[in-house]
Amino acid sequence: MTARQKILTVFGTRPEAIKLFPVIHALADDARFESRVCISAQHREMLDQVLDITGVIPDHDLDLMQPGQTLDALTARALLEIGKVLDDEQPDWVVVQGDTTTVLAGALAAYYRKIPVCHVEAGLRSGDIYQPWPEEVNRRAVGTFATLHCAPTATAQAALLRESVDPKSVHVTGNTVIDAMHWVTKHAQAHPEIASGLASLESRFAGKRIIGVTSHRRENFGDGMRSIARAVARIAARPDVAVIFPVHLNPNVRAVMNDELSGLDNVALIDPLDYPHFARLLDISHLMLTDSGGVQEEAPALGKPVLVMRETTERPEGVEAGTARLVGTDADKIVYETERLLDDDAAYSAMARAHNPFGDGHSAARIIDLLVPRK
Ligand code: UD1
Ligand code: UDP
């Protein structure tokens, strides 16, 4: 009988938590593993929202978030503090997901100790080191020293192979975001009260088509973010639509959105939603406007057209299928593309098709199987 593998999962932000809780649940239920969890808490409230709903209890909470943290200070502190946890735990594997500062620091600290790194959601590439910034470089860096690359799609696998990553270390597992969506849907069906908090907004906006909006990318800070806000204000001037916009807690985002959008009749600027409520928002939305990575995967899976307020995307699968469209941050373009979907039924129907190239809901099981030593 092979010894139990000690797996240390390291993460820090909302999207990592959403995409890793299925893996952590699967590890906890499997006698082949001893599962340990370390959070950097690069995010605090937005991370805790996910932990609360999914029941993940960290063994190590580094509590690193500082308001308005800089990339270099956070990276340095995360590298040092995660390193101490690795020395303490001495895991057989470190599992990280995606492309945040925590991913870079966690994977690098493991590599410095020659601990194998499993990179979940490996191989996403926009081809531009400044879009998204700094995520494109974070994931490329981890791609050079991870031991196991869990590519969500064949496109991501091909990107890794083009970079001369050992083909034997690359596996197409699907994206765990679909596992997460299945879990949250089932959980909300069993306990409808966990997603009932939007009821008052739903009745306030009854009869209008809801547009769900999120925005937080660093490369959009400044002019891009203000342009997005002004586009949303113009769209919301229509009497037949309402905007529900859970605003990211980053102060750079909140300042601009409050400045441009607070007090508008058809706009609800609200705090970040927990995952069941965000799933509900996706469900009631006619379309999504976003610069998020995860929302680009979730919205097409639910048949919701998604207009991506970025110049490039590392998730071309939705664009190729016609369920997502890149619209950048130019206000005229965002308004034009949104109104086209609102006013042209054929254009809307062409995009509103359930399309799910990102996974089948069994990605976590595939990933943990790869962590068992081969005979
Ligand atoms: C980070 C990731 C980004 C990911 C995003 C998901 C990096 C470089 N960026 O960006 O890839 O898409 O998370 O949301 O890793 N804040 C709070 N409470 C929270 C979370 C954030 O107050 O729960 C505020 C703090 O002032 C914090 C700021 O937001 O300093 C920025 O957080 P940070 O994690 O540095 O960057 P994000 O922009 O959230
Ligand atoms: N999300 C959430 N509440 C919100 C906004 C988003 O739970 O108010 C979820 C969303 O369903 C997706 C993830 O957060 O799974 C995306 O996170 P974010 O946009 O912050 O980061 P990105 O995916 O761009 O890295």
Side-chain angles (χ1 to χ4, degrees), residues 135-206:
E135 291 83 358
E136 175 78 1
V137 162
N138 288 347
R139 58 195 176 214
R140 283 199 213 178
V142 176
T144 62
F145 56 78
T147 322
L148 177 60
H149 308 260
C150 299
T153 65
T155 304
Q157 177 190 40
L160 289 163
L161 300 184
R162 274 197 304 278
E163 291 169 14
S164 305
V165 174
D166 177 1
K168 289 197 289 300
S169 69
V170 183
H171 300 263
V172 179
T173 58
N175 197 313
T176 53
V177 76
I178 306 299
D179 303 35
M181 280 176 60
H182 286 188
W183 183 90
V184 80
T185 307
K186 221 166 124 188
H187 201 53
Q189 273 162 1
H191 307 279
E193 69 284 358
I194 66 165
S196 61
L198 292 177
S200 60
L201 278 180
E202 289 178 46
S203 57
R204 173 177 152 197
F205 293 142

Side-chain angles (χ1 to χ4, degrees), residues 1-317:
M1 161 106 185
T2 324
R4 288 212 299 167
Q5 294 290 295
K6 187 175 189 180
I7 314 294
L8 181 72
T9 308
V10 179
F11 58 100
T13 68
R14 170 174 66 193
E16 293 161 77
I18 288 173
K19 290 174 173 177
L20 282 173
F21 81 74
V23 175
I24 295 167
H25 285 177
L27 287 170
D29 287 345
D30 192 322
R32 294 174 297 175
F33 303 105
E34 178 186 355
S35 172
R36 309 286 285 167
V37 172
C38 171
I39 57 168
S40 69
Q42 172 179 338
H43 284 175
R44 185 75 272 170
E45 301 87 338
M46 288 159 55
L47 178 65
D48 291 345
Q49 280 183 321
V50 186
L51 301 180
D52 288 349
I53 205 81
T54 58
V56 171
I57 301 170
D59 300 288
H60 302 270
D61 181 346
L62 304 177
D63 201 21
L64 292 183
M65 195 195 88
Q66 290 180 353
Q69 58 208 359
T70 59
L71 293 176
D72 42 8
L74 175 64
T75 307
R77 289 187 301 127
L79 185 61
L80 285 173
E81 296 304 317
I82 295 170
K84 289 181 200 164
V85 173
L86 295 183
D87 290 338
D88 179 26
E89 292 284 0
Q90 309 235 352
D92 296 301
W93 283 96
V94 164
V95 175
V96 293
Q97 188 284 333
D99 48 24
T100 68
T101 298
T102 297
V103 176
L104 178 67
L108 192 57
Y111 168 71
Y112 284 162
R113 289 160 180 78
K114 297 193 177 166
I115 299 170
V117 172
C118 167
H119 189 203
V120 175
E121 201 184 68
L124 272 60
R125 299 289 183 269
S126 70
D128 181 336
I129 61 166
Y130 293 111
Q131 296 193 50
W133 173 77
E135 291 83 358
E136 175 78 1
V137 162
N138 288 347
R139 58 195 176 214
R140 283 199 213 178
V142 176
T144 62
F145 56 78
T147 322
L148 177 60
H149 308 260
C150 299
T153 65
T155 304
Q157 177 190 40
L160 289 163
L161 300 184
R162 274 197 304 278
E163 291 169 14
S164 305
V165 174
D166 177 1
K168 289 197 289 300
S169 69
V170 183
H171 300 263
V172 179
T173 58
N175 197 313
T176 53
V177 76
I178 306 299
D179 303 35
M181 280 176 60
H182 286 188
W183 183 90
V184 80
T185 307
K186 221 166 124 188
H187 201 53
Q189 273 162 1
H191 307 279
E193 69 284 358
I194 66 165
S196 61
L198 292 177
S200 60
L201 278 180
E202 289 178 46
S203 57
R204 173 177 152 197
F205 293 142
K208 295 176 188 282
R209 285 176 292 179
I210 289 177
I211 301 181
V213 182
T214 79
S215 175
H216 71 85
R217 296 248 79 87
R218 281 172 184 261
E219 68 273 15
N220 286 344
F221 288 175
D223 291 346
M225 198 76 42
R226 196 160 291 277
S227 174
I228 287 171
R230 290 186 175 158
V232 170
R234 280 166 58 188
I235 294 160
R238 288 173 60 124
D240 59 336
V241 301
V243 168
I244 299 183
F245 188 165
V247 185
H248 196 285
L249 292 180
N250 194 316
N252 294 296
V253 181
R254 292 180 90 78
V256 176
M257 297 309 164
N258 285 334
D259 193 29
E260 299 284 343
L261 298 171
S262 61
L264 298 185
D265 281 349
N266 287 342
V267 179
L269 286 186
I270 57 176
D271 282 338
L273 292 167
D274 66 22
Y275 197 41
H277 282 99
F278 194 76
R280 174 74 188 161
L281 175 60
L282 284 169
D283 197 33
I284 62 174
S285 290
H286 188 65
L287 62 100
M288 295 297 298
L289 279 176
T290 192
D291 63 10
S292 161
V295 178
Q296 283 179 66
E297 295 152 345
E298 293 164 335
L302 297 173
K304 303 292 174 171
V306 56
L307 297 179
V308 181
M309 299 183 292
R310 296 168 53 176
E311 308 300 335
T312 60
T313 182
E314 61 286 302
R315 293 166 171 90
E317 294 87 351

